[in-house]
Amino acid sequence: MKAFIKTIGILTSGGDAPGLNAAIRAICISAKEKYGAKVLGFKNGYRGLIENNFVKMSDFDMEALLSMSGTCLGTSREKPFKATEKNAVTGKMPVESIKETFKKNKLDVLFCLGGNGTNTTASLLAKEGLPVIGLPKTIDNDIYGTEVTFGFHSAIDVASEGINQIRPTAKSMSRAMVVEIMGHKVGWLGLYAGAAAGADIILLPEIPYDIKVIAKHIKELRAGGREYIIVAASEGALSVDEAKLDKKAFKKARAAMTESVGFRIAREIEEATGMETRTSVLGYTQRGAAPSPKDIVLATQFGVAAVEFAARKEFGILVAMKDNKIIGFPLSEVEGRVKTIPMDDSVLQSQRALGVCFGD
């Protein structure tokens, strides 16, 4: 088949996540085998694109990439459209440098693998007339337009296992244990990990918690003979009082905190119930794990589909999953949006039916 795509650019931006290398591998193999295209990997996210810093993907061991964690291309949180100064390497404004990189390398398409920030930048590049396609990578599962992102299921495995490993200590010591799980703006990971590990209480950014409600629930469980408590708390969980603040006041309040949310919740629980309470922060273990088979398969599907979209000249889209089918979703609709948990979500509702407390 005669190929429109001869030279492909690819980058990974934002936080790393399981499945990135599997997606990169799928793009490289599919592009070469079906279209004879070459792939250039830009180093360290949009910074590499700005500075024309790339490697030839043909130099990589494709077999090794399949189950490798992290990203072989490196990453950064560079935001070219927010720059106020010229790039130190190019001496030009970032967006201008990016256009020159496209021209110098005769890029037919650029694949941007990342989360909300990455795909927002991809959308802005598309509006500049550049051929761009986004792929949804994030352990938070919060990209608007797709039902699932690669990295999410691997992180669930790590977070739920983390909770399960803490349970014996909680039981042995008759303690309440707060397990802090990643998720600043949304609680998909906290919800699914908490559900998978059978947490008694799940606290999410979408549902402001009342410590009095939590304390009442704990006292009822203990009165029923329960000697220990497991709390799965998203790092972005917020109280009902915090929910009343405007955005500026909320950011100021969070900046003034001397402890993470998990520690604060533990302190609040101990003060309200008298029950000894401890905190465990799972942190970056949720990002750095090897991808699960499910994420490897999903990332591979997205990578292959991205090449096909490019071959059909379908640009300015996010490779997305809807009703178990891969579609191209407009990046302009992804831009600046976050997919939060709806209150009628089936997993959320199933947990409520089981008596799990969400603090509301």
Side-chain angles (χ1 to χ4, degrees):
M1 181 176 180
K2 187 176 180 181
F4 157 72
I5 46 172
K6 295 180 180 179
T7 305
I8 291 171
I10 184 171
L11 61 81
T12 58
S13 180
D16 63 318
L20 274 170
N21 291 314
I24 291 170
R25 171 185 177 271
I27 289 170
C28 293
I29 294 177
S30 179
K32 179 183 177 182
E33 295 298 322
K34 191 167 184 179
Y35 298 107
K38 67 177 180 179
V39 184
L40 306 180
F42 289 91
K43 300 286 289 180
N44 303 319
Y46 287 109
R47 187 181 304 154
L49 187 67
I50 293 166
E51 299 174 358
N52 196 28
N53 179 16
F54 65 85
V55 291
K56 295 178 180 179
M57 295 307 301
S58 57
D59 293 339
F60 283 79
D61 179 354
M62 290 295 131
E63 183 178 352
L65 290 181
L66 186 61
S67 58
M68 185 186 296
S69 54
T71 165
C72 64
L73 293 176
T75 186
S76 71
R77 297 190 183 276
E78 189 82 20
K79 293 179 172 60
F81 285 89
K82 290 189 175 182
T84 57
E85 298 179 357
K86 294 179 180 179
N87 179 268
V89 174
T90 67
K92 298 178 181 179
M93 293 303 291
V95 176
E96 182 184 356
S97 297
I98 287 174
K99 290 180 179 180
E100 289 191 358
T101 295
F102 265 79
K103 188 175 181 180
K104 285 178 183 177
N105 297 293
K106 298 180 180 179
L107 295 182
D108 296 306
V109 63
L110 173 70
F111 294 125
C112 303
L113 285 63
N116 289 302
T118 300
N119 283 292
T120 290
T121 297
S123 175
L124 296 173
L125 289 175
K127 290 177 180 179
E128 291 288 327
L130 299 175
V132 175
I133 292 175
L135 281 80
K137 168 279 312 173
T138 173
I139 65 170
D140 294 324
N141 195 40
D142 63 347
I143 299 179
Y144 187 82
T146 184
E147 293 171 349
V148 67
T149 63
F150 59 88
F152 177 54
H153 286 287
S154 303
I156 292 172
D157 290 348
V158 173
S160 60
E161 180 61 20
I163 295 171
N164 285 329
Q165 289 179 352
I166 285 165
R167 185 181 300 277
T169 297
K171 189 173 184 179
S172 298
M173 304 297 292
S174 298
R175 288 173 175 167
M177 297 292 286
V178 179
V179 184
E180 186 178 293
I181 298 167
M182 280 188 162
H184 276 295
K185 296 181 179 179
V186 302
W188 292 103
L189 182 54
L191 173 61
Y192 276 65
D200 303 297
I201 299 166
I202 299 176
L203 304 179
L204 311 170
E206 291 90 343
I207 305 175
Y209 72 84
D210 186 335
I211 193 60
K212 293 178 182 178
V213 172
I214 294 172
K216 181 174 181 290
H217 184 69
I218 291 174
K219 289 174 181 178
E220 288 174 350
L221 288 175
R222 296 185 74 186
R226 188 65 179 276
E227 296 181 350
Y228 72 98
I229 302 294
I230 298 293
V231 182
S234 297
E235 61 186 336
L238 71 162
S239 68
V240 289
D241 290 333
E242 287 177 312
K244 297 174 184 177
L245 301 175
D246 60 31
K247 188 175 181 179
K248 185 176 180 180
F250 178 77
K251 287 184 70 174
K252 184 178 180 180
R254 279 297 164 99
M257 285 177 59
T258 57
E259 57 189 353
S260 69
V261 166
F263 287 95
R264 186 187 74 185
I265 291 170
R267 176 170 48 79
E268 291 173 336
I269 288 174
E270 191 163 301
E271 289 173 354
T273 66
M275 187 176 189
E276 186 178 21
T277 308
R278 295 290 185 271
T279 300
S280 180
V281 180
L282 299 183
Y284 288 100
T285 59
Q286 297 159 92
R287 286 196 185 281
S292 67
K294 186 165 186 174
D295 269 335
I296 290 173
V297 172
L298 180 63
T300 299
Q301 286 179 284
F302 281 150
V304 170
V307 174
E308 295 306 308
F309 281 124
R312 296 194 298 267
K313 300 185 181 182
E314 295 182 34
F315 304 126
I317 60 168
L318 173 77
V319 182
M321 185 72 76
K322 183 178 182 181
D323 298 328
N324 208 35
K325 293 182 180 179
I326 294 179
I327 63 167
F329 190 81
L331 278 171
S332 59
E333 295 186 34
V334 178
E335 182 183 330
R337 301 177 76 171
V338 174
K339 182 183 71 178
T340 57
I341 302 172
M343 292 303 100
D344 63 352
D345 177 78
S346 60
V347 175
L348 176 63
Q349 290 301 318
S350 71
Q351 293 304 292
R352 286 195 185 280
L354 292 174
V356 173
C357 174
F358 287 85
D360 59 338

